[in-house]
Amino acid sequence: MQINTTLDDHRIAKLAAFAIALHMLEALIPSPLPGVKPGIANIVTLYVLYKYNFTSATWVSILRVFASSLLLGQFLSPTFILSLAGALFSLGVLWLSMHLPRKYFGAVSLSMIAAFAHIAGQLMIVRLWLIPHASVAYLIPIFALAALFFGVVNGLITHQLLNNSSEKIDSASST
C-alpha cells in the first residue's frame, strides 16, 4: 500500500511536530495557577496562518492537540476536551479575523484575539460540563489577564519570526 503525500503534507507534518515539541516542553513547566500556560505552541499556528494559509494552520493546531494528548496520556480526558475546545474556538475566531484589515490587525492583535477565544472556549466547557455553577465567572478576570499577557508575548514572538523569515527571503532574492 502506497500513500501519496504532497509537499504541503510534509510541511504540515514538520510544523505540527514542532508545535507538539513546544507543547511537550511547556507541559514540563510548572503552572502558577491551574490552567494558566503560555501557549507557546500557538506561535507555530499563528506563524503558519501568516506564512501559508488557514487550512494549514488548522491542521497544525488540531494535530498538536491530538498528538500531545496522546503523548501526555490525556486523550479523551477533560484536559483533552478543554484543549480541543480552546483550539477550535481560537481557530474559529482566527478564521473570522482573517477578514479584518491587515493594516490594523497584525500578528500581535490576532494572537491576543486567539488567546481570548481559547480561554473563552475552555471556560465555557468548564461552566457547562465540569463545574456547572455561576462561580466560574470569578475566574474570568484572572484568565483574561493571562490571555492578554501571553497573547501579546506570543504575538510579538510571531511578529519577529515573520519579519526574520521575510528578511532572509528578501536578502536571498537580492543576491
Side-chain angles (χ1 to χ4, degrees), residues 13-73:
K14 288 175 188 174
L15 290 164
F18 186 58
I20 293 163
L22 288 175
H23 187 86
M24 300 303 287
L25 179 67
E26 185 177 80
L28 298 173
I29 302 169
S31 177
L33 291 169
V36 175
K37 293 281 190 176
I40 56 176
N42 295 323
I43 294 168
V44 179
T45 302
L46 199 57
Y47 179 84
V48 172
L49 177 67
Y50 268 86
K51 287 296 275 186
Y52 304 106
N53 55 45
F54 179 76
T55 303
S56 296
T58 300
W59 273 110
V60 167
S61 182
I62 298 302
L63 286 170
R64 177 195 50 87
V65 170
F66 276 85
S68 296
S69 71
L70 286 168
L71 290 169
L72 293 170

Side-chain angles (χ1 to χ4, degrees), residues 10-175:
H10 291 266
R11 182 181 62 238
I12 289 168
K14 288 175 188 174
L15 290 164
F18 186 58
I20 293 163
L22 288 175
H23 187 86
M24 300 303 287
L25 179 67
E26 185 177 80
L28 298 173
I29 302 169
S31 177
L33 291 169
V36 175
K37 293 281 190 176
I40 56 176
N42 295 323
I43 294 168
V44 179
T45 302
L46 199 57
Y47 179 84
V48 172
L49 177 67
Y50 268 86
K51 287 296 275 186
Y52 304 106
N53 55 45
F54 179 76
T55 303
S56 296
T58 300
W59 273 110
V60 167
S61 182
I62 298 302
L63 286 170
R64 177 195 50 87
V65 170
F66 276 85
S68 296
S69 71
L70 286 168
L71 290 169
L72 293 170
Q74 299 169 340
F75 185 62
L76 299 181
S77 72
T79 302
F80 166 74
I81 301 298
L82 291 171
S83 183
L84 183 61
L88 291 175
F89 265 71
S90 180
L91 287 167
V93 167
L94 284 173
W95 182 80
L96 291 172
S97 299
M98 288 175 28
H99 305 302
L100 298 172
R102 290 282 172 127
K103 179 179 175 182
Y104 303 111
F105 294 92
V108 176
S109 55
L110 287 185
S111 178
M112 288 173 29
I113 291 168
F116 280 112
H118 187 92
I119 201 61
Q122 290 184 330
L123 285 174
M124 284 184 8
I125 295 296
V126 167
R127 172 65 172 92
L128 294 172
W129 180 42
L130 298 173
I131 306 172
H133 192 271
S135 62
V136 171
Y138 291 119
L139 299 173
I140 293 172
I142 296 164
F143 286 111
L145 189 61
L148 175 65
F149 177 75
F150 291 123
V152 168
V153 170
N154 291 343
L156 289 170
I157 293 169
T158 304
H159 178 76
Q160 191 63 40
L161 288 170
L162 290 166
N163 282 346
N164 286 345
S165 67
S166 66
E167 286 173 10
K168 287 178 184 176
I169 290 170
D170 291 341
S171 67
S173 64
S174 66
T175 57

